[in-house]
Amino acid sequence: MGDARPPFIQFQDIKKRFGKHEVLLGINLEIPYGERFGIIGVSGSGKSTLLNILIGFLSASSGSIYFNLRDILKEKKTIRKTFGFASQDGSFYGELTVMENLKYFGTLHGMSNEDIQKRAKGLLALVGLSNATSTLGKNLSRGMQKRLDIACAMIHDPKVLILDEPTEDLDPMLRKDILLLIKKINERGTTIIITSHILTEIEAICTKIAILHSGKIIETGTPADLKGRYYKNEEIHIETSPGDYDKISKKLSKKYVEEIEVLEHKMLVRTPNVDKMMYDLLSAVKGSDEKIVDITVSKPTLEEVFTALTKGKTI
Ligand code: ADP
Ligand code: MG
């Protein structure tokens, strides 16, 4: 049986040109409900442009975007209600307090004071700003400012939260906090669309990914899908003592050996089936006088997939 549900968000042949510069050459993309959906691409590939079109801040040169089958580029009201957008540059006001910012953004969405108060309480608790309601935006730490941005984008309880490079200017610890927050928001039922140029981050947090390159979406799938599509083998590095690697390698099932390399102190086995090969290796060592010194499995990273697909362009 096929999936009878209509696509949640669907981009259909979205093109965007700035003067003679064609940035998006026909984007076709489906974003299902409930995902943490990552859009990756090198700097200048058009990620922000695409998000700004989705949110109605920029108009597309041609094409459509459907939300639950509704052609939303013609429905600014639906867009505003459905999406919350934390832009790359940040959107809160430094001269307003945390609470005043939420009030401001709530009012823009036509919410009553009472609704804003009600919503703000839970929202501030969620983003961890309950104790900073009367602090001016400009006096918050960088991490807290990012949280305020996210809160402002969510004041009207949008179905979809769109985050353009939310961790761009944060140090690693703060990044981790923000990623955990994004995950928490998603687990409460909000679909997430996120861009980032830090692929390990995208790989860690996203349930689905699309790669934007040369104006088109060239791949979509889960991080595991993408890696599986481009890398059939994984590597096991094993170091044993005394280290008779010829003897060990003779005991491995040929079926699961793609390649063996014996280096000075260790052996490297490329295999399409890590589980089976690990079992073989451990059995081989167990039935001998060898002792394991070190064993590691290295899986391909999204970064490698991206580099392979975009021919060496770094993000
Ligand atoms: P990314 O977010 O992936 O870094 P952007 O969407 O910001 O990429 O930009 C994509 C391309 O479009 C860049 O070459 C950029 O210079 C160009 N661009 C973006 N916005 C404008 C604009 N308002 N006017 C002219 N060119 C623009
Ligand atoms: Mg950008």
Side-chain angles (χ1 to χ4, degrees), residues 189-233:
T190 310
T191 301
I192 305 278
I193 303 175
I194 179 173
T195 65
S196 173
H197 63 285
I198 304 164
L199 292 188
T200 46
E201 212 169 88
I202 288 282
E203 186 172 357
I205 195 194
C206 290
T207 51
K208 281 223 167 95
I209 295 169
I211 299 179
L212 175 60
H213 184 65
S214 298
K216 298 212 162 185
I217 298 295
I218 55 168
E219 273 293 350
T220 55
T222 66
D225 280 346
L226 293 191
K227 288 187 287 182
R229 229 170 276 163
Y230 292 92
Y231 291 88
K232 300 270 176 289
N233 298 307

mmCIF file of all heavy atoms in Angstrom, residues 189-233:
data_model
loop_
_atom_site.group_PDB
_atom_site.id
_atom_site.type_symbol
_atom_site.label_atom_id
_atom_site.label_comp_id
_atom_site.label_asym_id
_atom_site.label_seq_id
_atom_site.Cartn_x
_atom_site.Cartn_y
_atom_site.Cartn_z
ATOM 1 N N GLY A 189 6.602 17.930 18.444
ATOM 2 C CA GLY A 189 5.671 17.924 17.314
ATOM 3 C C GLY A 189 5.886 18.989 16.256
ATOM 4 O O GLY A 189 5.099 19.097 15.323
ATOM 5 N N THR A 190 6.925 19.800 16.406
ATOM 6 C CA THR A 190 7.181 20.843 15.407
ATOM 7 C C THR A 190 8.153 20.319 14.354
ATOM 8 O O THR A 190 9.218 19.814 14.695
ATOM 9 C CB THR A 190 7.801 22.090 16.083
ATOM 10 O OG1 THR A 190 7.007 22.440 17.211
ATOM 11 C CG2 THR A 190 7.886 23.261 15.115
ATOM 12 N N THR A 191 7.763 20.412 13.098
ATOM 13 C CA THR A 191 8.669 20.036 12.016
ATOM 14 C C THR A 191 9.780 21.088 11.940
ATOM 15 O O THR A 191 9.514 22.278 12.100
ATOM 16 C CB THR A 191 7.900 19.986 10.683
ATOM 17 O OG1 THR A 191 6.845 19.021 10.812
ATOM 18 C CG2 THR A 191 8.810 19.597 9.514
ATOM 19 N N ILE A 192 11.009 20.625 11.721
ATOM 20 C CA ILE A 192 12.153 21.547 11.691
ATOM 21 C C ILE A 192 12.791 21.546 10.302
ATOM 22 O O ILE A 192 13.017 20.479 9.728
ATOM 23 C CB ILE A 192 13.234 21.108 12.705
ATOM 24 C CG1 ILE A 192 12.677 20.962 14.114
ATOM 25 C CG2 ILE A 192 14.461 22.024 12.640
ATOM 26 C CD1 ILE A 192 12.559 22.217 14.924
ATOM 27 N N ILE A 193 13.070 22.737 9.806
ATOM 28 C CA ILE A 193 13.909 22.846 8.606
ATOM 29 C C ILE A 193 15.124 23.660 9.016
ATOM 30 O O ILE A 193 14.989 24.748 9.574
ATOM 31 C CB ILE A 193 13.165 23.554 7.450
ATOM 32 C CG1 ILE A 193 11.863 22.811 7.127
ATOM 33 C CG2 ILE A 193 14.061 23.626 6.203
ATOM 34 C CD1 ILE A 193 11.005 23.518 6.082
ATOM 35 N N ILE A 194 16.295 23.117 8.767
ATOM 36 C CA ILE A 194 17.506 23.758 9.268
ATOM 37 C C ILE A 194 18.594 23.752 8.194
ATOM 38 O O ILE A 194 18.720 22.786 7.432
ATOM 39 C CB ILE A 194 17.985 23.016 10.554
ATOM 40 C CG1 ILE A 194 19.262 23.622 11.120
ATOM 41 C CG2 ILE A 194 18.193 21.543 10.321
ATOM 42 C CD1 ILE A 194 19.655 23.025 12.471
ATOM 43 N N THR A 195 19.342 24.843 8.117
ATOM 44 C CA THR A 195 20.525 24.834 7.265
ATOM 45 C C THR A 195 21.735 24.962 8.173
ATOM 46 O O THR A 195 21.652 25.537 9.261
ATOM 47 C CB THR A 195 20.567 26.021 6.280
ATOM 48 O OG1 THR A 195 20.697 27.225 7.039
ATOM 49 C CG2 THR A 195 19.337 26.094 5.414
ATOM 50 N N SER A 196 22.826 24.389 7.742
ATOM 51 C CA SER A 196 24.074 24.560 8.479
ATOM 52 C C SER A 196 25.198 24.207 7.535
ATOM 53 O O SER A 196 25.015 23.439 6.599
ATOM 54 C CB SER A 196 24.104 23.643 9.697
ATOM 55 O OG SER A 196 25.370 23.701 10.314
ATOM 56 N N HIS A 197 26.350 24.828 7.786
ATOM 57 C CA HIS A 197 27.493 24.431 6.968
ATOM 58 C C HIS A 197 28.370 23.471 7.753
ATOM 59 O O HIS A 197 29.393 23.023 7.268
ATOM 60 C CB HIS A 197 28.275 25.669 6.519
ATOM 61 C CG HIS A 197 28.861 26.428 7.662
ATOM 62 N ND1 HIS A 197 28.097 27.215 8.476
ATOM 63 C CD2 HIS A 197 30.109 26.470 8.142
ATOM 64 C CE1 HIS A 197 28.882 27.734 9.413
ATOM 65 N NE2 HIS A 197 30.100 27.295 9.229
ATOM 66 N N ILE A 198 27.935 23.131 8.976
ATOM 67 C CA ILE A 198 28.714 22.185 9.776
ATOM 68 C C ILE A 198 28.065 20.809 9.636
ATOM 69 O O ILE A 198 27.042 20.508 10.238
ATOM 70 C CB ILE A 198 28.760 22.627 11.247
ATOM 71 C CG1 ILE A 198 29.327 24.048 11.320
ATOM 72 C CG2 ILE A 198 29.601 21.664 12.076
ATOM 73 C CD1 ILE A 198 29.088 24.747 12.622
ATOM 74 N N LEU A 199 28.688 19.995 8.791
ATOM 75 C CA LEU A 199 28.018 18.750 8.405
ATOM 76 C C LEU A 199 27.919 17.735 9.530
ATOM 77 O O LEU A 199 26.957 16.980 9.593
ATOM 78 C CB LEU A 199 28.705 18.145 7.188
ATOM 79 C CG LEU A 199 28.520 18.972 5.917
ATOM 80 C CD1 LEU A 199 29.060 18.237 4.720
ATOM 81 C CD2 LEU A 199 27.068 19.300 5.690
ATOM 82 N N THR A 200 28.898 17.721 10.421
ATOM 83 C CA THR A 200 28.810 16.765 11.532
ATOM 84 C C THR A 200 27.566 17.091 12.362
ATOM 85 O O THR A 200 26.907 16.196 12.893
ATOM 86 C CB THR A 200 30.041 16.850 12.453
ATOM 87 O OG1 THR A 200 30.302 18.220 12.730
ATOM 88 C CG2 THR A 200 31.249 16.227 11.796
ATOM 89 N N GLU A 201 27.261 18.358 12.443
ATOM 90 C CA GLU A 201 26.106 18.816 13.190
ATOM 91 C C GLU A 201 24.807 18.352 12.527
ATOM 92 O O GLU A 201 23.917 17.809 13.163
ATOM 93 C CB GLU A 201 26.168 20.334 13.153
ATOM 94 C CG GLU A 201 25.640 21.016 14.339
ATOM 95 C CD GLU A 201 26.021 22.479 14.263
ATOM 96 O OE1 GLU A 201 25.269 23.252 13.662
ATOM 97 O OE2 GLU A 201 27.081 22.834 14.786
ATOM 98 N N ILE A 202 24.731 18.574 11.227
ATOM 99 C CA ILE A 202 23.562 18.165 10.448
ATOM 100 C C ILE A 202 23.381 16.650 10.550
ATOM 101 O O ILE A 202 22.278 16.150 10.743
ATOM 102 C CB ILE A 202 23.762 18.586 8.974
ATOM 103 C CG1 ILE A 202 23.619 20.106 8.845
ATOM 104 C CG2 ILE A 202 22.816 17.872 8.042
ATOM 105 C CD1 ILE A 202 22.206 20.630 8.843
ATOM 106 N N GLU A 203 24.499 15.952 10.444
ATOM 107 C CA GLU A 203 24.458 14.499 10.511
ATOM 108 C C GLU A 203 23.947 14.036 11.871
ATOM 109 O O GLU A 203 23.190 13.075 11.976
ATOM 110 C CB GLU A 203 25.875 13.966 10.265
ATOM 111 C CG GLU A 203 25.939 12.476 10.171
ATOM 112 C CD GLU A 203 27.310 11.996 9.730
ATOM 113 O OE1 GLU A 203 28.197 12.826 9.434
ATOM 114 O OE2 GLU A 203 27.477 10.772 9.679
ATOM 115 N N ALA A 204 24.351 14.750 12.909
ATOM 116 C CA ALA A 204 23.965 14.346 14.257
ATOM 117 C C ALA A 204 22.501 14.636 14.544
ATOM 118 O O ALA A 204 21.852 13.906 15.273
ATOM 119 C CB ALA A 204 24.847 15.056 15.283
ATOM 120 N N ILE A 205 21.975 15.676 13.962
ATOM 121 C CA ILE A 205 20.651 16.110 14.404
ATOM 122 C C ILE A 205 19.532 15.827 13.400
ATOM 123 O O ILE A 205 18.379 15.665 13.786
ATOM 124 C CB ILE A 205 20.667 17.617 14.785
ATOM 125 C CG1 ILE A 205 19.397 17.942 15.580
ATOM 126 C CG2 ILE A 205 20.858 18.496 13.621
ATOM 127 C CD1 ILE A 205 19.126 19.380 15.736
ATOM 128 N N CYS A 206 19.839 15.754 12.110
ATOM 129 C CA CYS A 206 18.769 15.687 11.118
ATOM 130 C C CYS A 206 18.291 14.270 10.836
ATOM 131 O O CYS A 206 19.073 13.335 10.793
ATOM 132 C CB CYS A 206 19.216 16.344 9.816
ATOM 133 S SG CYS A 206 19.357 18.119 10.004
ATOM 134 N N THR A 207 16.981 14.144 10.628
ATOM 135 C CA THR A 207 16.417 12.852 10.270
ATOM 136 C C THR A 207 16.423 12.690 8.751
ATOM 137 O O THR A 207 16.437 11.589 8.238
ATOM 138 C CB THR A 207 14.976 12.735 10.793
ATOM 139 O OG1 THR A 207 14.248 13.904 10.373
ATOM 140 C CG2 THR A 207 14.959 12.671 12.308
ATOM 141 N N LYS A 208 16.410 13.804 8.033
ATOM 142 C CA LYS A 208 16.509 13.780 6.564
ATOM 143 C C LYS A 208 17.338 14.973 6.111
ATOM 144 O O LYS A 208 17.378 16.008 6.774
ATOM 145 C CB LYS A 208 15.128 13.876 5.920
ATOM 146 C CG LYS A 208 14.373 12.571 5.911
ATOM 147 C CD LYS A 208 13.689 12.338 4.559
ATOM 148 C CE LYS A 208 13.194 10.925 4.418
ATOM 149 N NZ LYS A 208 11.798 10.760 4.784
ATOM 150 N N ILE A 209 17.953 14.806 4.935
ATOM 151 C CA ILE A 209 18.857 15.826 4.424
ATOM 152 C C ILE A 209 18.622 16.016 2.933
ATOM 153 O O ILE A 209 18.326 15.057 2.219
ATOM 154 C CB ILE A 209 20.319 15.353 4.609
ATOM 155 C CG1 ILE A 209 20.645 15.235 6.097
ATOM 156 C CG2 ILE A 209 21.309 16.288 3.940
ATOM 157 C CD1 ILE A 209 21.942 14.525 6.342
ATOM 158 N N ALA A 210 18.776 17.256 2.476
ATOM 159 C CA ALA A 210 18.806 17.505 1.035
ATOM 160 C C ALA A 210 20.097 18.259 0.730
ATOM 161 O O ALA A 210 20.501 19.131 1.501
ATOM 162 C CB ALA A 210 17.603 18.336 0.610
ATOM 163 N N ILE A 211 20.732 17.907 -0.363
ATOM 164 C CA ILE A 211 21.964 18.600 -0.758
ATOM 165 C C ILE A 211 21.651 19.545 -1.910
ATOM 166 O O ILE A 211 21.166 19.127 -2.964
ATOM 167 C CB ILE A 211 23.066 17.601 -1.177
ATOM 168 C CG1 ILE A 211 23.411 16.687 0.009
ATOM 169 C CG2 ILE A 211 24.311 18.346 -1.659
ATOM 170 C CD1 ILE A 211 24.474 15.642 -0.292
ATOM 171 N N LEU A 212 21.896 20.831 -1.669
ATOM 172 C CA LEU A 212 21.675 21.869 -2.674
ATOM 173 C C LEU A 212 23.009 22.165 -3.346
ATOM 174 O O LEU A 212 23.979 22.524 -2.671
ATOM 175 C CB LEU A 212 21.123 23.122 -1.979
ATOM 176 C CG LEU A 212 20.912 24.382 -2.818
ATOM 177 C CD1 LEU A 212 19.931 24.133 -3.953
ATOM 178 C CD2 LEU A 212 20.409 25.528 -1.942
ATOM 179 N N HIS A 213 23.043 21.996 -4.652
ATOM 180 C CA HIS A 213 24.308 22.221 -5.361
ATOM 181 C C HIS A 213 24.038 22.684 -6.783
ATOM 182 O O HIS A 213 23.203 22.101 -7.467
ATOM 183 C CB HIS A 213 25.124 20.914 -5.360
ATOM 184 C CG HIS A 213 26.470 21.074 -5.991
ATOM 185 N ND1 HIS A 213 27.439 21.890 -5.456
ATOM 186 C CD2 HIS A 213 27.003 20.530 -7.110
ATOM 187 C CE1 HIS A 213 28.511 21.848 -6.224
ATOM 188 N NE2 HIS A 213 28.271 21.028 -7.236
ATOM 189 N N SER A 214 24.740 23.717 -7.207
ATOM 190 C CA SER A 214 24.568 24.289 -8.544
ATOM 191 C C SER A 214 23.097 24.561 -8.861
ATOM 192 O O SER A 214 22.615 24.240 -9.947
ATOM 193 C CB SER A 214 25.159 23.360 -9.610
ATOM 194 O OG SER A 214 26.532 23.213 -9.398
ATOM 195 N N GLY A 215 22.394 25.104 -7.889
ATOM 196 C CA GLY A 215 21.021 25.533 -8.118
ATOM 197 C C GLY A 215 19.964 24.455 -8.072
ATOM 198 O O GLY A 215 18.790 24.714 -8.331
ATOM 199 N N LYS A 216 20.388 23.204 -7.759
ATOM 200 C CA LYS A 216 19.407 22.111 -7.710
ATOM 201 C C LYS A 216 19.604 21.243 -6.476
ATOM 202 O O LYS A 216 20.681 21.242 -5.886
ATOM 203 C CB LYS A 216 19.574 21.223 -8.956
ATOM 204 C CG LYS A 216 19.317 21.956 -10.243
ATOM 205 C CD LYS A 216 18.734 21.025 -11.281
ATOM 206 C CE LYS A 216 18.084 21.856 -12.360
ATOM 207 N NZ LYS A 216 17.384 21.101 -13.363
ATOM 208 N N ILE A 217 18.549 20.506 -6.134
ATOM 209 C CA ILE A 217 18.680 19.508 -5.072
ATOM 210 C C ILE A 217 19.232 18.247 -5.746
ATOM 211 O O ILE A 217 18.566 17.643 -6.592
ATOM 212 C CB ILE A 217 17.314 19.212 -4.415
ATOM 213 C CG1 ILE A 217 16.726 20.467 -3.759
ATOM 214 C CG2 ILE A 217 17.448 18.071 -3.406
ATOM 215 C CD1 ILE A 217 17.517 21.023 -2.586
ATOM 216 N N ILE A 218 20.449 17.870 -5.384
ATOM 217 C CA ILE A 218 21.056 16.739 -6.086
ATOM 218 C C ILE A 218 20.913 15.416 -5.329
ATOM 219 O O ILE A 218 21.104 14.360 -5.904
ATOM 220 C CB ILE A 218 22.555 16.979 -6.424
ATOM 221 C CG1 ILE A 218 23.361 17.323 -5.172
ATOM 222 C CG2 ILE A 218 22.701 18.086 -7.465
ATOM 223 C CD1 ILE A 218 24.863 17.287 -5.413
ATOM 224 N N GLU A 219 20.556 15.456 -4.059
ATOM 225 C CA GLU A 219 20.337 14.227 -3.305
ATOM 226 C C GLU A 219 19.429 14.508 -2.115
ATOM 227 O O GLU A 219 19.520 15.585 -1.520
ATOM 228 C CB GLU A 219 21.661 13.676 -2.742
ATOM 229 C CG GLU A 219 22.431 12.762 -3.673
ATOM 230 C CD GLU A 219 21.728 11.441 -3.948
ATOM 231 O OE1 GLU A 219 20.719 11.117 -3.289
ATOM 232 O OE2 GLU A 219 22.214 10.740 -4.845
ATOM 233 N N THR A 220 18.576 13.545 -1.770
ATOM 234 C CA THR A 220 17.867 13.629 -0.493
ATOM 235 C C THR A 220 17.841 12.253 0.146
ATOM 236 O O THR A 220 17.949 11.241 -0.549
ATOM 237 C CB THR A 220 16.391 14.083 -0.631
ATOM 238 O OG1 THR A 220 15.738 13.199 -1.538
ATOM 239 C CG2 THR A 220 16.263 15.500 -1.100
ATOM 240 N N GLY A 221 17.683 12.213 1.431
ATOM 241 C CA GLY A 221 17.579 10.942 2.141
ATOM 242 C C GLY A 221 17.988 11.111 3.588
ATOM 243 O O GLY A 221 18.330 12.207 4.011
ATOM 244 N N THR A 222 17.946 10.012 4.331
ATOM 245 C CA THR A 222 18.454 10.071 5.702
ATOM 246 C C THR A 222 19.973 10.107 5.612
ATOM 247 O O THR A 222 20.538 9.703 4.586
ATOM 248 C CB THR A 222 18.037 8.828 6.513
ATOM 249 O OG1 THR A 222 18.697 7.693 5.943
ATOM 250 C CG2 THR A 222 16.533 8.598 6.469
ATOM 251 N N PRO A 223 20.644 10.568 6.661
ATOM 252 C CA PRO A 223 22.116 10.544 6.623
ATOM 253 C C PRO A 223 22.633 9.133 6.299
ATOM 254 O O PRO A 223 23.567 8.971 5.503
ATOM 255 C CB PRO A 223 22.519 10.976 8.034
ATOM 256 C CG PRO A 223 21.377 11.812 8.514
ATOM 257 C CD PRO A 223 20.144 11.208 7.892
ATOM 258 N N ALA A 224 21.998 8.118 6.885
ATOM 259 C CA ALA A 224 22.437 6.736 6.633
ATOM 260 C C ALA A 224 22.212 6.351 5.169
ATOM 261 O O ALA A 224 23.063 5.705 4.552
ATOM 262 C CB ALA A 224 21.707 5.780 7.563
ATOM 263 N N ASP A 225 21.075 6.753 4.601
ATOM 264 C CA ASP A 225 20.782 6.499 3.177
ATOM 265 C C ASP A 225 21.894 7.046 2.302
ATOM 266 O O ASP A 225 22.415 6.361 1.425
ATOM 267 C CB ASP A 225 19.533 7.277 2.717
ATOM 268 C CG ASP A 225 18.242 6.606 3.119
ATOM 269 O OD1 ASP A 225 18.304 5.431 3.512
ATOM 270 O OD2 ASP A 225 17.191 7.278 3.055
ATOM 271 N N LEU A 226 22.213 8.303 2.536
ATOM 272 C CA LEU A 226 23.191 8.981 1.680
ATOM 273 C C LEU A 226 24.547 8.309 1.794
ATOM 274 O O LEU A 226 25.221 8.078 0.794
ATOM 275 C CB LEU A 226 23.311 10.460 2.039
ATOM 276 C CG LEU A 226 22.084 11.321 1.756
ATOM 277 C CD1 LEU A 226 22.409 12.784 1.900
ATOM 278 C CD2 LEU A 226 21.531 11.057 0.370
ATOM 279 N N LYS A 227 24.920 7.981 3.016
ATOM 280 C CA LYS A 227 26.221 7.347 3.195
ATOM 281 C C LYS A 227 26.232 5.961 2.570
ATOM 282 O O LYS A 227 27.197 5.567 1.942
ATOM 283 C CB LYS A 227 26.587 7.305 4.681
ATOM 284 C CG LYS A 227 26.929 8.699 5.190
ATOM 285 C CD LYS A 227 27.460 8.671 6.588
ATOM 286 C CE LYS A 227 26.353 8.393 7.587
ATOM 287 N NZ LYS A 227 26.858 8.420 8.951
ATOM 288 N N GLY A 228 25.102 5.273 2.733
ATOM 289 C CA GLY A 228 24.989 3.925 2.164
ATOM 290 C C GLY A 228 25.054 3.937 0.646
ATOM 291 O O GLY A 228 25.591 3.041 0.018
ATOM 292 N N ARG A 229 24.498 5.004 0.052
ATOM 293 C CA ARG A 229 24.457 5.110 -1.394
ATOM 294 C C ARG A 229 25.859 5.328 -1.976
ATOM 295 O O ARG A 229 26.144 4.900 -3.071
ATOM 296 C CB ARG A 229 23.555 6.288 -1.772
ATOM 297 C CG ARG A 229 22.522 5.941 -2.823
ATOM 298 C CD ARG A 229 21.531 7.071 -2.972
ATOM 299 N NE ARG A 229 20.459 7.015 -1.998
ATOM 300 C CZ ARG A 229 19.665 8.053 -1.718
ATOM 301 N NH1 ARG A 229 19.832 9.211 -2.306
ATOM 302 N NH2 ARG A 229 18.705 7.927 -0.831
ATOM 303 N N TYR A 230 26.689 6.009 -1.226
ATOM 304 C CA TYR A 230 27.998 6.363 -1.771
ATOM 305 C C TYR A 230 29.147 5.553 -1.205
ATOM 306 O O TYR A 230 30.224 5.536 -1.764
ATOM 307 C CB TYR A 230 28.246 7.863 -1.607
ATOM 308 C CG TYR A 230 27.295 8.599 -2.495
ATOM 309 C CD1 TYR A 230 26.067 9.021 -2.034
ATOM 310 C CD2 TYR A 230 27.593 8.739 -3.845
ATOM 311 C CE1 TYR A 230 25.155 9.608 -2.882
ATOM 312 C CE2 TYR A 230 26.692 9.331 -4.698
ATOM 313 C CZ TYR A 230 25.469 9.767 -4.210
ATOM 314 O OH TYR A 230 24.565 10.328 -5.056
ATOM 315 N N TYR A 231 28.901 4.903 -0.073
ATOM 316 C CA TYR A 231 29.966 4.093 0.518
ATOM 317 C C TYR A 231 29.428 2.716 0.842
ATOM 318 O O TYR A 231 28.587 2.579 1.710
ATOM 319 C CB TYR A 231 30.526 4.756 1.770
ATOM 320 C CG TYR A 231 31.290 5.993 1.420
ATOM 321 C CD1 TYR A 231 30.645 7.216 1.323
ATOM 322 C CD2 TYR A 231 32.643 5.921 1.132
ATOM 323 C CE1 TYR A 231 31.338 8.351 0.958
ATOM 324 C CE2 TYR A 231 33.345 7.048 0.770
ATOM 325 C CZ TYR A 231 32.692 8.266 0.683
ATOM 326 O OH TYR A 231 33.375 9.375 0.320
ATOM 327 N N LYS A 232 29.923 1.727 0.100
ATOM 328 C CA LYS A 232 29.440 0.373 0.344
ATOM 329 C C LYS A 232 30.216 -0.271 1.490
ATOM 330 O O LYS A 232 29.743 -1.190 2.121
ATOM 331 C CB LYS A 232 29.598 -0.483 -0.920
ATOM 332 C CG LYS A 232 28.834 0.060 -2.111
ATOM 333 C CD LYS A 232 27.419 -0.507 -2.163
ATOM 334 C CE LYS A 232 26.605 0.080 -3.289
ATOM 335 N NZ LYS A 232 26.242 1.499 -3.059
ATOM 336 N N ASN A 233 31.421 0.205 1.712
ATOM 337 C CA ASN A 233 32.276 -0.457 2.693
ATOM 338 C C ASN A 233 32.583 0.419 3.900
ATOM 339 O O ASN A 233 32.606 1.633 3.802
ATOM 340 C CB ASN A 233 33.607 -0.850 2.046
ATOM 341 C CG ASN A 233 33.391 -1.836 0.924
ATOM 342 O OD1 ASN A 233 32.743 -2.861 1.120
ATOM 343 N ND2 ASN A 233 33.908 -1.522 -0.243
#
